[in-house]
Amino acid sequence: MSDLQSMDTLVSLAKRRGYVFQSSEIYGGTGSVWDYGPLGVELRRNVMDAWWSAMVHQRDDVEGLDSGILMHPRVWEASGHVEGFTDPLVECKHCKMRFRQDQLGASACGQKPSKAPGETDSCDLGEPRLFNLMFETFMGPVKDAAATVYLRPETAQGSYVNFLNVQTSARQKIPFGVAQMGKAFRNEITPGNFIFRTREFEQMEMQYFVEPGTDDEWFEYWRAQRLEWHRSLGIRGEKLRLTPHGPNELAHYAKTAEDIEYEFPFGWKEFEGIHNRTDFDLGRHQEYSGKKLEYVDSASGKRFVPYVIETAVGVGRTMLVAMVDAYREEEVEGDTRVVLGLHPRLAPIKVAVFPLVKKDGMPEIAEALHKELRAAGIPSFYDTSGAIGRRYRRQDEAGTPWCVTVDGQSVEDGSVTVRDRDTMDQSRVAASAVRAWVQERLGGVA
Ligand code: ATP
C-alpha cells in the first residue's frame, strides 16, 4: 500500500472524478482559482457542516454570523491591513519571475532543476518591495479614491465589528465566540500547489472573546480542540503537528500563534492557525470608529475590552488534507487499486447501489433501495454500467464507503451484499435493513 507521491496524481484524479476543475479552463485557466465539481461541492459542504456542527451547534458558547465580503474601508485601516498586510516581493532582473522573499529556499528560479521559459540559471534578484495582498475594487458608479473598497482578506473583522451586536442579541457572557465561514481574497504573489494557495478561497474562522489574563489558558484549550477535530475526521495523527510562530514570524496583531501543519507531498505546511490576537482588533476598532467595544460584566460591573483567541482554517486546505491523507494505491490481484479512503462523514456519496445485471428483477430491487436511501437523506448513487469490478473501482476512487449489489439471490430471498471500500469485505444484509445499517455507521449524519 502506498501514499500519495505526487500532487499531479491527485490533480488528475480530482478532475477525472469531478472533485476539482481548473477555473476558466477553456481559456487556459487562471492558475490561482479552482472550481469544485459535483463531488467537490459535496466534500466542501461536508467539511463546512462538520466544522459548523462542532464549533456552533454542539456548543452553547459560540454563535454564528455571516457578515458581508465588502466592508467600510476604515475597517481595513483599523485592522492594520492597509498598512501591514504585505508580503516581500522580489523580482529577477533577467527572467522577470517574481517570488516571495520569505519563501525563496529551493524554489528560487536559479535552483530549479528544469527551467521555465525565460528563466536564467543564476537569478539576479532585486531589492524586496512590499506588496499589499488585498484586492481593491470600487463601490458605486464613480471610480475614484473615495469609492475604493477591499475584498476581505479574512472573515475575522466582520466578527469584531459585530462583537456587541452578537453579544447583546444572543445574551452571551464572556467567554464566548463568534463563528463565520465565507469567502476571502488575497492577491498572493505565488499561488500554487493545487488548491493549497489560491487567490479566492474560503475560511472557517472563530473568534473567542475572553477576559484578559485568561487568554493563555484559552489558547491552549482551542489548540487542543482543533487538533482533535482534524483527528476525528480520520486524518492520521503522525501527519499532523503543531508549530509555534517564532517572535519574528508573528503577525502584527498576535501575542502567540501556532500553526497546525500537515505533511503534504510538498512538505510540512500550515492549514490552520490558532492566534492570540489580544485586544488589538477591538481596541483599534474603538479608536477608529469612536464607538466603545467594551464588555460589561453584569454581576461585578467590571468593564474591559476582551482578548481574542482565533481559530482560522481554510476550507480548500482542509479538503486538500482530507484528500491527500485518504489517497492510497494497493496491489490487488496484479492490478493497482486506487482508493480515496475519506471518512464516511466527508465522503460525497455514502452508498452506491448496483444491480449485478440489468435483468431478472434485479434493477427493480436496486432502484427501490436507491430511492429509499435518497428519501432518508443518504446521498446514494445508482449505477448499472460496466462489469461489477469496474463499478467498485470507480466508487473506490470517488471515496464511496459502501457499495450494495443486488444479485440473483436478492431476487429469491431479499438479501443484498454490502461491500466495504477499505477492507473489500462483503456481507449479506436484508435489503430492507440496509438503510438502518448505513445510518448506524454514519452515526446519525447523512
Ligand atoms: P500562509 O502562511 O500559508 O500564507 P497565513 O498564515 O497567511 O497562511 P492565515 O491568515 O492564518 O494564513 O489564514 C488562516 C487559514 O486560511 C490558513 O491556515 C489557510 O488554511 C487559509 N488560507 C490562507 N491563505 C490562503 C490562500 N491563499 N489559499 C487558500 N487558503 C488560504
Side-chain angles (χ1 to χ4, degrees):
M1 193 160 88
S2 67
D3 278 6
L4 182 70
Q5 304 298 325
S6 119
M7 288 304 288
D8 291 345
T9 310
L10 188 66
V11 175
S12 81
L13 181 145
K15 178 167 182 196
R16 193 166 65 241
R17 291 286 161 230
Y19 272 94
V20 184
F21 307 129
Q22 208 181 8
S23 161
S24 320
E25 190 183 3
I26 59 168
Y27 289 98
T30 60
S32 60
V33 179
W34 297 82
D35 297 340
Y36 297 123
L39 296 193
V41 284
E42 298 296 331
L43 174 59
R44 168 180 163 276
R45 191 180 293 247
N46 293 342
V47 163
M48 293 167 92
D49 286 349
W51 186 85
W52 196 257
S53 168
M55 300 299 277
V56 182
H57 287 168
Q58 289 177 42
R59 305 187 63 104
D60 293 323
D61 59 347
V62 178
E63 305 288 345
L65 177 76
D66 191 4
S67 64
I69 288 173
L70 302 176
M71 301 181 75
H72 194 290
R74 291 275 284 166
V75 166
W76 305 108
E77 287 171 33
S79 70
H81 284 81
V82 170
E83 198 188 338
F85 193 54
T86 49
D87 276 338
L89 168 86
V90 283
E91 192 171 313
C92 170
K93 289 176 191 155
H94 303 307
C95 68
K96 305 290 175 210
M97 283 191 72
R98 289 173 178 160
F99 306 95
R100 246 173 84 168
Q101 192 201 26
D102 56 336
Q103 288 184 349
L104 276 177
S107 65
C109 57
Q111 294 158 40
K112 275 188 192 165
S114 66
K115 288 178 281 175
E119 283 180 60
T120 59
D121 272 332
S122 52
C123 275
D124 184 3
L125 299 176
E127 283 300 303
R129 282 183 289 140
L130 288 179
F131 173 75
N132 197 298
L133 301 184
M134 282 200 296
F135 278 97
E136 278 182 21
T137 187
F138 301 93
M139 199 179 297
V142 186
K143 197 173 164 185
D144 64 16
T148 301
V149 290
Y150 302 99
L151 301 188
R152 68 179 176 196
E154 60 176 24
T155 67
Q157 299 303 324
S159 300
Y160 302 139
V161 298
N162 278 295
F163 156 66
L164 282 182
N165 285 338
V166 175
Q167 190 251 317
T168 49
S169 61
R171 294 190 293 118
Q172 280 286 356
K173 291 199 181 346
I174 267 179
F176 78 96
V178 177
Q180 281 214 69
M181 308 191 287
K183 290 263 180 182
F185 303 82
R186 295 182 188 177
N187 201 0
E188 300 277 2
I189 296 171
T190 46
N193 283 325
F194 194 26
I195 54 173
F196 179 80
R197 189 180 300 286
T198 51
R199 293 194 170 118
E200 172 181 339
F201 57 99
E202 267 167 314
Q203 291 186 311
M204 304 183 286
E205 297 196 302
M206 195 278 308
Q207 315 301 318
Y208 201 70
F209 300 95
V210 306
E211 185 168 352
T214 65
D215 48 311
D216 292 337
E217 231 172 90
W218 282 113
F219 182 86
E220 303 275 315
Y221 169 85
W222 280 110
R223 190 179 57 175
Q225 287 285 312
R226 295 304 306 146
L227 197 58
E228 186 42 41
W229 184 76
H230 296 295
R231 290 210 182 103
S232 77
L233 292 177
I235 308 304
R236 289 169 292 174
E238 70 270 21
K239 293 278 182 179
L240 293 169
R241 74 176 187 197
L242 283 162
T243 304
H245 285 203
N248 298 333
E249 297 164 312
L250 282 175
H252 60 276
Y253 50 72
K255 171 177 155 187
T256 38
E258 252 176 79
D259 292 339
I260 301 181
E261 296 184 337
Y262 181 81
E263 191 179 18
F264 292 96
F266 46 91
W268 285 97
K269 297 279 179 219
E270 165 192 347
F271 72 113
E272 171 148 13
I274 323 294
H275 311 124
N276 181 344
R277 296 180 72 136
T278 70
D279 56 0
F280 176 85
D281 299 275
L282 290 182
R284 293 272 288 205
H285 287 306
Q286 278 201 149
E287 188 188 328
Y288 279 66
S289 69
K291 301 275 178 352
K292 285 234 171 302
L293 289 174
E294 286 176 342
Y295 174 75
V296 184
D297 187 298
S298 51
S300 65
K302 202 160 138 191
R303 293 170 169 272
F304 57 88
V305 176
Y307 267 38
V308 172
I309 307 302
E310 172 185 62
T311 72
V313 64
V315 175
R317 278 194 202 176
T318 306
M319 290 172 65
L320 189 62
V321 167
M323 288 196 283
V324 168
D325 203 65
Y327 184 95
R328 56 180 192 270
E329 292 177 11
E330 290 172 3
E331 285 305 309
V332 180
E333 292 161 9
D335 261 353
T336 303
R337 180 174 92 111
V338 174
V339 185
L340 204 56
L342 292 170
H343 190 282
R345 167 105 213 220
L346 298 183
I349 303 168
K350 311 295 181 197
V351 187
V353 184
F354 313 139
L356 185 61
V357 287
K358 282 189 259 181
K359 57 181 186 185
D360 300 336
M362 294 177 217
E364 290 75 12
I365 299 175
E367 257 181 89
L369 179 56
H370 167 58
K371 283 188 186 145
E372 181 192 341
L373 293 169
R374 265 197 341 212
I378 300 170
S380 165
F381 181 77
Y382 182 64
D383 190 5
T384 59
S385 67
I388 196 75
R390 292 201 46 191
R391 282 184 261 171
Y392 285 147
R393 293 289 189 273
R394 281 202 290 264
Q395 294 305 317
D396 289 342
E397 269 203 355
T400 307
W402 303 290
C403 292
V404 175
T405 302
V406 173
D407 56 15
Q409 193 180 331
S410 315
V411 181
E412 283 164 26
D413 67 7
S415 69
V416 293
T417 61
V418 181
R419 173 191 179 267
D420 184 279
R421 174 196 64 201
D422 301 324
T423 61
M424 291 189 286
D425 286 346
Q426 301 193 14
S427 46
R428 277 208 98 84
V429 177
S432 57
V434 168
R435 176 170 51 82
W437 188 97
V438 172
Q439 277 168 332
E440 191 188 320
R441 278 153 189 82
L442 287 173
V445 185

